[in-house]
Amino acid sequence: MTAKKPTIKDVARLAGVSFKTVSRVVNNEAWVSDEIKAKVQAVIETLNYQPNRTARLMRTAPFSLAFVYDNPNSHYVIEMQNGILSECRRKGFELVIHPTDSGSDLVRQELSTMIGSNQVGGVILTPPLSENSELVQQLLAQQAKVVRIVSGAAPPDELCPTIYVDDEAAGRAMTEYLLAQGHSRIAFLGYRADHRSSVGRYRGYCTALDKAGIPLCPELVISGDFTFDSGVAMTEQLLALPEPATALFGCNDEIAAGALFAARMKQLAVPADLSIVGFENSPFSRQTWPKLTTVHQPNADMAAKAAAMLIALMLEPEEQPPHCGFHLQLVVRDSVEKLTK
Amino acid sequence: MTAKKPTIKDVARLAGVSFKTVSRVVNNEAWVSDEIKAKVQAVIETLNYQPNRTARLMRTAPFSLAFVYDNPNSHYVIEMQNGILSECRRKGFELVIHPTDSGSDLVRQELSTMIGSNQVGGVILTPPLSENSELVQQLLAQQAKVVRIVSGAAPPDELCPTIYVDDEAAGRAMTEYLLAQGHSRIAFLGYRADHRSSVGRYRGYCTALDKAGIPLCPELVISGDFTFDSGVAMTEQLLALPEPATALFGCNDEIAAGALFAARMKQLAVPADLSIVGFENSPFSRQTWPKLTTVHQPNADMAAKAAAMLIALMLEPEEQPPHCGFHLQLVVRDSVEKLTK
DNA sequence: AAATTAACTGTCAACGTTGTCAGTATTTTT
DNA sequence: AAAAATACTGACAACGTTGACAGTTAATTT
């Protein structure tokens, strides 16, 4: 009744060969006669034999990797996961998902266990965990292969292969675009000192203003989370100012969506009365009204690249793949007004 | 240099006991003296020993499960994944993600391999795969544990434990709500005969109209995909009608968001000129303007329940957990106008 | 005091693979 | 014709763990 799963020995018995020969056929090793190969393959078919992955794993290096992320609901994560998944499938690797609360101390322990127990051979780290070089070192010390995705014009150090993305340049490009459209009172929403992407985008914003000879107005820089609700609140705060801005740079699309909502509540037309831009090019940024001008971040590609690098590292531990930088690109849509003064 | 990972035997040697005793300590088995237990535990600490999961898996049933889904970008999937993940972590199980193109014939083969190779012990199936009883039977025949999530007032058959959700009742409730608000020309956008949820919602829509004595207008029922773009297109088609509707029932929130956009393009105010409702209560449905009235679908809870059932089934194969139905609930927000005639 | 039970610990054989090494034919080279 | 290489196949030992079972004390019952 409870038909046990066929093993390599069952195949061997039926094919009248040693189980080692079956192993050779399964792994496509050289020097097996075509005749025997065909016979074994036939038995494999009829038994529907599938090599036991667990047993195989006892003799080989693990071929699973972990994706560790913080904010489980953002599109950022979803797009990354899809990118990693597609790469994993191409290479026959397995993905273990590991959402985590980066604030928690458990993370270290959990990751350590995943590595130590041979559950995964490598880890892809995203911010803010990827910025914790102490953690990276600990993982490395446990023989884990690590690839991290960080914000920056270059990798922060040489610990491990790194994917980096230049938020500062993009923040600057976006601000310069707004300046070119005639805006000079530009608000920056979503500054967070503990968030490298945010800081990078903010730096770019400052540089652009500086190059244009426009003084920074501290009251136009508002701190807050990367969420819709925070975007609403920050915008309300901004609009309560005696002299509000003509353009609003949301540090991500969710903030921008919140800004859109808050503007609407205040009966302001976007972009006529207030220009709003976001960052990230999340799917919904082209489903708002008006469609958001934003910065495209190739999350899926970045993550796929990270997976490819990690897999290469797991297969060829000798040669470290080189770091890899990604460019962000302005996506102009309908949420910015050209001011003619 | 390449410090090998410590094994149970290393611990045993250092603690001066047999490796079996270490195994007892690790697995918290009875009848180990406190003295030895403490000594072993100390060695485990200092070596940072982690039991090799792979080796353990060779002697025990697999404790990973697969989540198989079709549309990798919808919130539906993400919420489910989070629900499953939280349940898995509570129980110490592992999740293997398996996105798939349900149209492809590969699915059968891939799932079969996952089961056959002992990679996972069970599978959570979502529509449309979960509605394919042939596939379910094939998996069952391979000793897989299966739990499926389907649309319907009750499970379609007794093949396996099933989570079901009554789209028809919710579709009816939503339509009745619109009727109660004074609408009688109500359009239904996103009908798809091959999509059980869609059909269920449509049936509820028909029933409500029928009970209210309102004849069904075929030109108000528009077929299309569950996407924003499709929502835009269907709404344009609807608004081109000589006598359009006063209310629009989008089969999911994305369609409704598309409708919002299309209405806006046609200078129609929502809800003043056109009421729009969605289905699913996806995160963005409360970030649109106006906020969408919709139906809440507890995806995370459903998925967590599915995971709990599957894990129970894997641990106690004897007793099948009972099926479980979930209710959908109307979420009234700001996108419906009350008509006074 | 002997017999039974409880409390503990160890030995050894699995689990299903792959790697190492030793064979045996067959072909090619000397 | 002998030697060497090539093409193939199989025995056996790992891999690190858990389960079955046996052994050894110490405590309890008869």
Side-chain angles (χ1 to χ4, degrees):
Chain A
M1 200 71 263
T2 324
K4 299 277 287 203
K5 289 174 186 169
T7 76
I8 201 171
K9 294 191 181 175
D10 297 323
V11 177
R13 198 166 341 102
L14 261 87
V17 297
S18 81
F19 71 96
K20 177 66 213 191
T21 299
V22 177
S23 169
R24 288 200 179 90
V25 173
V26 169
N27 295 355
N28 243 312
E29 283 175 38
W31 294 322
V32 179
S33 69
D34 291 349
E35 187 193 1
I36 286 197
K37 193 182 284 186
K39 191 164 58 179
V40 170
Q41 221 119 36
V43 177
I44 288 178
E45 293 278 302
T46 60
L47 282 188
N48 188 26
Y49 162 74
Q50 319 262 16
N52 183 315
R53 204 170 170 116
T54 307
R56 178 178 278 188
L57 239 30
M58 284 210 55
R59 307 285 309 174
T60 64
F63 39 104
S64 311
L65 49 90
F67 174 45
V68 187
Y69 58 81
D70 198 15
N71 180 355
N73 286 308
S74 77
H75 271 283
Y76 176 75
V77 164
I78 292 138
E79 290 169 10
M80 291 220 168
Q81 179 176 314
N82 288 336
I84 294 172
L85 234 20
S86 72
E87 191 65 21
C88 280
R89 306 196 73 187
R90 289 200 323 126
K91 304 272 175 64
F93 274 62
E94 219 45 63
L95 175 62
V96 175
I97 304 287
H98 193 95
T100 187
D101 178 4
S102 64
S104 150
D105 279 342
L106 284 172
V107 184
R108 298 175 85 87
Q109 185 54 47
E110 288 172 351
L111 283 183
S112 173
T113 302
M114 281 183 116
I115 300 294
S117 68
N118 244 35
Q119 190 178 138
V120 299
V123 180
I124 297 178
L125 254 30
T126 56
L129 252 31
S130 58
E131 287 151 9
N132 181 342
S133 63
E134 203 192 338
L135 176 69
V136 173
Q137 260 161 335
Q138 182 194 333
L139 294 175
L140 253 22
Q142 280 190 75
Q143 330 287 347
K145 308 300 172 200
V146 182
V147 170
R148 80 253 241 236
I149 298 175
V150 302
S151 167
D157 53 52
E158 290 298 319
L159 286 177
C160 66
T162 301
I163 303 244
Y164 55 96
V165 79
D166 195 348
D167 283 291
E168 185 165 344
R172 178 172 172 183
M174 176 59 97
T175 310
E176 283 169 346
Y177 168 73
L178 291 171
L179 290 166
Q181 299 301 302
H183 294 273
S184 53
R185 268 190 84 72
I186 302 173
F188 185 92
L189 267 61
Y191 177 77
R192 284 189 51 175
D194 61 344
H195 194 313
R196 274 180 63 121
S197 293
S198 170
V199 171
R201 291 164 201 178
Y202 173 70
R203 283 223 198 93
Y205 161 83
C206 294
T207 310
L209 290 184
D210 188 48
K211 294 277 176 192
I214 295 175
L216 187 80
C217 299
E219 76 271 21
L220 293 185
V221 177
I222 303 182
S223 299
D225 289 339
F226 277 32
T227 63
F228 177 85
D229 289 336
S230 159
V232 172
M234 290 188 288
T235 307
E236 282 169 348
Q237 182 183 334
L238 177 75
L239 296 177
L241 249 40
E243 190 191 356
T246 60
L248 184 163
F249 182 170
C251 213
N252 76 347
D253 287 337
E254 283 212 49
I255 291 175
L260 235 33
F261 188 92
R264 192 74 198 265
M265 280 206 301
K266 286 269 194 289
Q267 321 270 15
L268 291 177
V270 177
D273 301 328
L274 176 65
S275 293
I276 295 177
V277 300
F279 206 107
E280 234 170 71
N281 194 22
S282 32
F284 67 81
S285 68
R286 47 176 287 278
Q287 306 185 351
T288 55
W289 181 284
K291 295 185 177 177
L292 277 175
T293 289
T294 185
V295 168
H296 176 64
Q297 181 159 330
N299 292 319
D301 294 344
M302 283 164 56
K305 178 70 183 175
M309 281 162 74
L310 183 55
I311 290 173
L313 200 58
M314 287 166 71
L315 296 179
E316 306 276 1
E318 315 308 321
E319 39 203 280
Q320 292 244 353
H323 304 298
C324 176
F326 273 81
H327 292 296
L328 302 179
Q329 213 165 355
L330 198 62
V331 179
V332 175
R333 288 203 274 248
D334 314 324
S335 61
V336 175
E337 180 86 347
K338 178 149 189 141
L339 295 187
T340 50
K341 133 164 108 194
Chain B
M1 202 71 262
T2 324
K4 297 279 286 204
K5 289 173 186 169
T7 75
I8 201 170
K9 295 191 180 175
D10 297 323
V11 177
R13 197 165 343 101
L14 261 88
V17 298
S18 80
F19 70 97
K20 176 68 218 193
T21 299
V22 178
S23 169
R24 287 203 180 89
V25 173
V26 169
N27 295 1
N28 243 311
E29 283 175 38
W31 295 321
V32 180
S33 69
D34 290 348
E35 185 192 2
I36 286 197
K37 194 184 281 187
K39 191 163 58 178
V40 170
Q41 222 120 36
V43 177
I44 288 178
E45 292 279 302
T46 59
L47 282 187
N48 188 25
Y49 162 74
Q50 319 262 15
N52 183 316
R53 205 171 168 115
T54 306
R56 180 177 276 188
L57 238 30
M58 283 209 57
R59 306 286 310 173
T60 63
F63 41 105
S64 312
L65 49 90
F67 175 45
V68 187
Y69 58 81
D70 198 15
N71 181 356
N73 285 308
S74 78
H75 271 282
Y76 176 75
V77 164
I78 292 138
E79 291 170 11
M80 291 220 167
Q81 179 175 313
N82 288 336
I84 294 172
L85 233 20
S86 71
E87 189 65 22
C88 280
R89 306 195 74 187
R90 288 199 325 125
K91 305 272 175 64
F93 273 63
E94 218 45 63
L95 176 61
V96 175
I97 304 287
H98 193 96
T100 186
D101 178 4
S102 63
S104 149
D105 279 341
L106 284 172
V107 184
R108 299 174 84 88
Q109 185 54 47
E110 288 172 350
L111 284 182
S112 173
T113 302
M114 282 182 115
I115 300 293
S117 69
N118 245 37
Q119 191 179 138
V120 299
V123 180
I124 297 178
L125 254 30
T126 56
L129 253 31
S130 58
E131 288 150 9
N132 182 342
S133 62
E134 204 192 338
L135 175 69
V136 173
Q137 261 161 332
Q138 182 194 332
L139 294 176
L140 253 22
Q142 280 190 75
Q143 332 287 347
K145 307 300 173 200
V146 182
V147 170
R148 81 254 240 236
I149 299 175
V150 302
S151 168
D157 53 53
E158 291 297 320
L159 286 177
C160 67
T162 301
I163 303 244
Y164 55 96
V165 80
D166 195 349
D167 284 291
E168 185 165 344
R172 178 172 173 183
M174 177 58 97
T175 310
E176 283 169 348
Y177 168 74
L178 290 171
L179 290 166
Q181 299 301 302
H183 294 273
S184 52
R185 268 190 85 72
I186 303 172
F188 185 92
L189 266 61
Y191 176 77
R192 284 190 51 175
D194 60 344
H195 194 314
R196 273 181 62 124
S197 294
S198 170
V199 171
R201 291 165 200 177
Y202 173 69
R203 284 224 198 93
Y205 162 83
C206 294
T207 310
L209 289 183
D210 188 48
K211 294 277 176 192
I214 295 175
L216 185 81
C217 298
E219 76 270 23
L220 293 185
V221 177
I222 304 182
S223 300
D225 289 339
F226 277 32
T227 64
F228 178 84
D229 289 336
S230 159
V232 172
M234 291 188 289
T235 307
E236 282 168 346
Q237 182 182 334
L238 176 75
L239 295 177
L241 249 41
E243 190 191 357
T246 61
L248 185 163
F249 181 169
C251 213
N252 76 346
D253 286 337
E254 282 214 50
I255 291 175
L260 234 35
F261 189 92
R264 191 75 197 263
M265 280 207 301
K266 286 268 193 291
Q267 321 270 15
L268 292 177
V270 177
D273 301 327
L274 176 65
S275 293
I276 295 177
V277 300
F279 206 106
E280 234 171 71
N281 194 22
S282 32
F284 67 81
S285 69
R286 48 175 286 278
Q287 305 185 351
T288 55
W289 181 284
K291 295 185 177 177
L292 278 174
T293 288
T294 185
V295 167
H296 177 64
Q297 181 158 330
N299 293 319
D301 295 344
M302 283 164 57
K305 178 69 183 176
M309 282 162 74
L310 183 55
I311 289 173
L313 201 57
M314 286 165 73
L315 296 178
E316 307 275 1
E318 317 307 321
E319 41 203 277
Q320 292 244 351
H323 305 298
C324 176
F326 273 80
H327 292 297
L328 301 178
Q329 212 165 355
L330 198 62
V331 179
V332 175
R333 288 201 274 247
D334 312 324
S335 62
V336 175
E337 179 86 348
K338 175 147 191 145
L339 296 188
T340 49
K341 123 165 119 199

